[in-house]
Structure formats: C-alpha cells, structure tokens
Amino acid sequence: MQKEMKSLNDNKTWELVELPKSKQVIACKSVEDPCVYLKRVSNEIFGLVILILYVDDMLIVAKEKSKVEKLKAQLSAECSMKDLGLAKSIRGMEIHRDVKDGRLWLTQGKYERKVLERFNMLDAKLVGTSLANQFKHQLLVEFCPLDATEKRLMSKVPYESAIGSLMYLMVCTRPNIAYALGKVSKYMANLGKVYWKAVKWILRYIKGTMGYGLLFDAHSHQARTLLGMWTQIMHRIWTQGDLPRVM
C-alpha cells in the first residue's frame, strides 16, 4: 500500500489528503486483492458488501439488493458517479445471466475477435485442441535459433505481444489454455520458428472456441462447495481479526 501511495504522489496522479474527521472509510481493503473492498453488514456468513474497483470501473455485490443500493447512495453523496445498472461487462469480460435457472457465465468473445484480427488469424483454419502433440516434443531449447539470421527474423515476430494477449484470456475466462501457454512462454528471449507456429495453433483453437467461458451454476454441487468454502474462509478471516477492520 505504501508503494502505491508513493507512486500516486510522485506522479501527481491525485492530490492525496488525510481523511477528514467527519468522514468514514466505506470498507476494508482486501489484503489478498488490492482491488477488492469488503464491509460486514450482518453476522451471517455471507453478510458482506463487496466492492470491486479498477480505475473507474466498479462492481458491487451483496446478498441483499438494498445493501447495494445503500452503498451506491453513499458513494453518490461523496463523489460524482454514474449508475449503469445491472453489469453487462467489465474489463473486456461479458457477463451473461439466466436468473430463472440460477446461472451466470463470463465470456470474452469481443476481445477474442480483436486478438485474432490483430495477429491476422481471423480466417485461419480451426483446430480442436489447444496444443498439438507434435509441439509437446518440439518446444525444447534444442529448437531455439543458433545463427544470427534466424534470430534477426524471429525478433520481428510479435511473440511477446501474442503471449500477453492470450495470458489475459487465460486469467479471466479461459483456464483451459493454461498448459499450452505454459509451454510456449518458456523461451521468449530466444524463440524458434516452431514456437511461433505453436502460438498460432493456440490462436486457431481460440477461433474455434470463441464464446467459451466460465459458467457458474447455483445448482451444481461444485458451485455450492466453492461458495461454501469461500464464505467460510471470509467469515473466519473477519472474525479472527486477520483482515484489518477500517470502518
């Protein structure tokens, strides 16, 4: 936190002042994620209001809608903000809901299309796997370029940019490409032609699976288990005092 404050001061991003005595901090900042703020509103296990903030994008989550509305009113009284209603997207992720069946899923279809267009792969042939078996035996140091000519040619390939774009997909909604990305990102400093072919293979897989994402089903056993674990952990952190209470 101190490094963040120093950076804001040094770059004159904002004019930082002490909190006025008549004002209160809305929530507690999560130690695990600096973009997540928490406020306990009841003694229930999920008796929290969660505010997720990234630059000027914000999501507010709570068990009761009235708690969300109350926090929005508090924020509106302190600063200028625009209520865009039910969230449909954030940070390139599209949010889809089926309230009747208790389902929510996240996709990045628009972002995927932009990535494919950027690397001229929108018209590429589709493949059914994120990494072909042949690459598993070729992505080795022995296939890195040895002569200056090949190294010069490969230096012009937008390899790192492609890896970065795919990495954002993997972190947000496509964990199924994690293994393939782990393989192709090992030799970024001295890559051979086979590495670029492998990256293009991953892009071809993305094209064939555009619109795939993460599904959260309230009725599935896995969802209930994960939610139960998360709420119990948060409850334990709060009640044991591991999370600083700044109210």
Side-chain angles (χ1 to χ4, degrees), residues 139-200:
L139 299 177
L140 303 171
V141 67
E142 289 83 357
F143 290 88
C144 292
L146 299 176
D147 61 277
T149 302
E150 187 178 352
K151 288 183 178 181
R152 185 169 60 254
L153 289 173
M154 292 308 299
S155 67
K156 299 178 181 179
V157 173
Y159 192 83
E160 292 184 6
S161 180
I163 293 294
S165 298
L166 289 170
M167 193 72 72
Y168 186 66
L169 269 177
M170 180 200 74
V171 170
C172 293
T173 62
R174 301 297 298 269
N176 58 324
I177 63 173
Y179 173 79
L181 271 180
K183 286 289 186 179
V184 298
S185 60
K186 285 185 177 180
Y187 303 103
M188 295 178 68
N190 187 28
L191 59 121
K193 292 180 181 179
V194 67
Y195 291 93
W196 182 233
K197 289 181 179 179
V199 169
K200 290 196 290 185

Side-chain angles (χ1 to χ4, degrees), residues 18-184:
E18 295 295 328
L19 182 69
K21 293 182 179 180
S22 60
K23 302 297 180 181
Q24 291 183 334
V25 177
I26 294 174
C28 296
K29 191 171 185 179
S30 169
V31 176
E32 291 77 17
D33 193 328
C35 295
V36 177
Y37 296 79
L38 310 168
K39 182 177 182 181
R40 176 155 291 283
V41 293
S42 74
N43 291 324
E44 296 179 13
I45 291 180
F46 196 67
L48 299 170
V49 176
I50 304 172
L51 186 149
I52 304 167
L53 178 65
Y54 187 87
V55 189
D56 59 351
D57 290 329
M58 181 189 301
L59 290 178
I60 302 175
V61 182
K63 186 176 181 180
E64 299 177 20
K65 187 176 180 180
S66 60
K67 304 298 183 184
V68 175
E69 296 298 331
K70 181 178 180 180
L71 179 54
K72 288 196 292 186
Q74 285 181 288
L75 293 171
S76 297
E78 298 295 335
C79 57
S80 177
M81 59 178 286
K82 186 176 182 181
D83 186 354
L84 299 177
L86 201 63
K88 296 180 180 179
S89 65
I90 186 168
R91 301 298 303 157
M93 292 178 282
E94 295 106 37
I95 304 171
H96 313 271
R97 298 176 182 81
D98 187 337
V99 179
K100 184 178 179 181
D101 290 335
R103 292 181 175 182
L104 181 146
W105 58 97
L106 302 175
T107 61
Q108 288 177 280
K110 293 180 180 178
Y111 177 78
E112 289 168 336
R113 177 171 287 274
K114 287 182 179 179
V115 171
L116 293 171
E117 289 177 345
R118 181 179 180 185
F119 298 104
N120 299 315
M121 296 295 291
L122 199 56
D123 297 322
K125 293 182 179 180
L126 310 183
V127 293
T129 59
S130 60
L131 195 66
N133 285 329
Q134 67 195 56
F135 294 120
K136 296 177 183 179
H137 305 290
Q138 295 177 350
L139 299 177
L140 303 171
V141 67
E142 289 83 357
F143 290 88
C144 292
L146 299 176
D147 61 277
T149 302
E150 187 178 352
K151 288 183 178 181
R152 185 169 60 254
L153 289 173
M154 292 308 299
S155 67
K156 299 178 181 179
V157 173
Y159 192 83
E160 292 184 6
S161 180
I163 293 294
S165 298
L166 289 170
M167 193 72 72
Y168 186 66
L169 269 177
M170 180 200 74
V171 170
C172 293
T173 62
R174 301 297 298 269
N176 58 324
I177 63 173
Y179 173 79
L181 271 180
K183 286 289 186 179
V184 298

Side-chain angles (χ1 to χ4, degrees), residues 45 225-237 239:
I45 291 180
T225 302
L226 287 172
L227 180 59
M229 289 175 58
W230 186 86
T231 52
Q232 288 177 23
I233 290 171
M234 294 308 300
H235 181 70
R236 192 181 308 120
I237 289 174
T239 55

